[in-house]
Amino acid sequence: MSLGRVFAPVPSEFFLIASTALLLTIFGLVMVLSATSATAIADGAPPWDAVAKQGVFALLGVPLMFITSRLPLVFFKRIAWPALMIAVAFQMLVYVPGLGVEAYGNRNWIMIGGLQAQPAEFLKLALALWLGYVLFRKQTLLGSWKHVVVPVIPVAILVIATVLGGRDLGTSMILVLITLGALFFSGVKLRLFILPAIAAAIAVAGFAIASPDRMRRIMSFLNSDCLADYYGDCYQPLHGIWGLANGGIFGLGLGNSKEKYDWLPAAANDYIFAIVGEELGLIGCTVVLALFGLFAVGAFKVIRKTDDPFVRIVSGAITVWIVGQALINIGVVLRVFPVLGVPLPFMSQGGTSLLSVLLASGVLLAFARTLPPAGRTSGSASRTSRPASRTSGSASRTSGSAGRTGRARADG
């Protein structure tokens, strides 16, 4: 009995990606509630005020993730160009007076109807889809550097420039990683991949040096005696490290963080991993890292098993984006990297960030549905070999007939 495609079994990669995305989202909602409840009560607001807003985006994003997983592969190829143009137009709204909002020296938000959004988050998914489509169309031409560079590099530079114009270096670095990830998984030659990577590193370093504010934060990160600048740029990194140290192995208990009492800036945003470490300890941090690791395993299985270059390139770019951004965020909290202002995917407070990663997970789930079931490939190969053997037998009989005809003509 056939129940149709709706009830068709899905590969194990689908369950791995979907389950880790849902667990990280739920984990994030719990930690946002814990990290914001104290300051919300101090401001006279309900303790669940922030998590209620985040929950609205979760309730919107999770169904959208599963709806996206049902879309056919051809849809993502057709939407690549329009999605990038719409995302760039949306990003340009940050420069419209009255709509754009500046915070922490960056102009990368918009305010519409009392709701604040970060359009650059949707640029990440749109750029990944566009890069996958263009590089997929150029598969046979990627041996030439001209076809690798044009139009990928000029368009990527223009897209990243719309974010850099708002002085958001962290998001720009993630867009650079997406571009490099797409080039790597497209299978371009190593020498053609290294040149854009070196150019991207030089460009990021140049923009960092050009900004006195960024250079000050980088120098504070390199400062061995950060306590001397406690009330300056070292304030937030020090409190993040102290939060992790207070947690120890088992943590202080859920809701018992001390740093969230307005000691740690951005406790629910960029530094939510510090609250995880303080309340749930090393065990909680290990669980978060394990969930991101399982997400990466599921995504890389999709990359390894697919035969479609478009699926491989887009999946690789999305995986580099989500996993790479998570590692950068955790590295900032551990003081491995300077403060870059990138959120922890699925977990940090921010509706547009959560919505964008859930949509990206839906794209990965749609790609996972295109993978052949286990054992199907070998069976197909064996079935293909049988007609080939019959063809070879027919060819041998034909050659035998031709030989007999030739001998008969020679005897005649």
Side-chain angles (χ1 to χ4, degrees), residues 59-76:
L59 290 175
L60 178 64
V62 171
L64 281 177
M65 178 179 73
F66 287 108
I67 291 172
T68 304
S69 72
R70 305 297 307 185
L71 297 174
L73 190 59
V74 67
F75 171 81
F76 299 106

Side-chain angles (χ1 to χ4, degrees), residues 62-270:
V62 171
L64 281 177
M65 178 179 73
F66 287 108
I67 291 172
T68 304
S69 72
R70 305 297 307 185
L71 297 174
L73 190 59
V74 67
F75 171 81
F76 299 106
K77 295 178 181 179
R78 290 177 178 174
I79 202 68
W81 272 102
L84 184 65
M85 291 187 287
I86 293 172
V88 170
F90 191 37
Q91 170 63 22
M92 296 305 292
L93 292 179
V94 302
Y95 304 107
V96 176
L99 288 179
V101 177
E102 185 170 341
Y104 305 108
N106 296 339
R107 189 180 180 87
N108 207 22
W109 291 267
I110 59 172
M111 183 74 73
I112 300 177
L115 294 176
Q116 186 168 306
Q118 189 174 3
E121 292 296 330
F122 298 110
L123 264 182
K124 299 172 183 177
L125 179 57
L127 182 62
L129 288 172
W130 180 84
L131 288 169
Y133 180 71
V134 171
L135 292 171
F136 159 72
R137 293 290 301 270
K138 286 176 167 280
Q139 275 291 293
T140 58
L141 305 172
L142 293 181
S144 171
W145 70 269
K146 294 181 181 179
H147 291 283
V148 173
V149 172
V150 181
V152 170
I153 301 302
V155 173
I157 290 174
L158 289 175
V159 170
I160 296 170
T162 63
V163 179
L164 274 178
R167 299 182 296 279
D168 188 351
L169 184 61
T171 303
S172 302
M173 289 178 60
I174 301 302
L175 292 172
V176 171
L177 284 179
I178 291 172
T179 305
L180 294 177
L183 288 172
F184 178 82
F185 287 102
S186 67
V188 299
K189 295 179 180 178
L190 185 60
R191 58 185 175 84
L192 297 178
F193 172 77
I194 289 177
L195 292 176
I198 294 174
I202 294 173
V204 169
F207 281 108
I209 295 172
S211 172
D213 179 65
R214 296 191 195 105
M215 280 305 299
R216 192 183 68 250
R217 284 185 290 173
I218 292 172
M219 294 308 295
S220 68
F221 159 73
L222 297 175
N223 187 2
S224 59
D225 186 16
C226 205
L227 280 172
D229 191 26
Y230 173 75
Y231 290 105
D233 292 317
C234 283
Y235 182 86
Q236 183 167 265
L238 279 175
H239 278 279
I241 287 291
W242 290 345
L244 290 172
N246 288 337
I249 297 177
F250 300 102
L252 302 177
L254 188 63
N256 293 330
S257 168
K258 298 176 182 178
E259 294 292 338
K260 70 181 182 181
Y261 286 91
D262 219 12
W263 287 102
L264 178 62
N269 300 306
D270 302 344

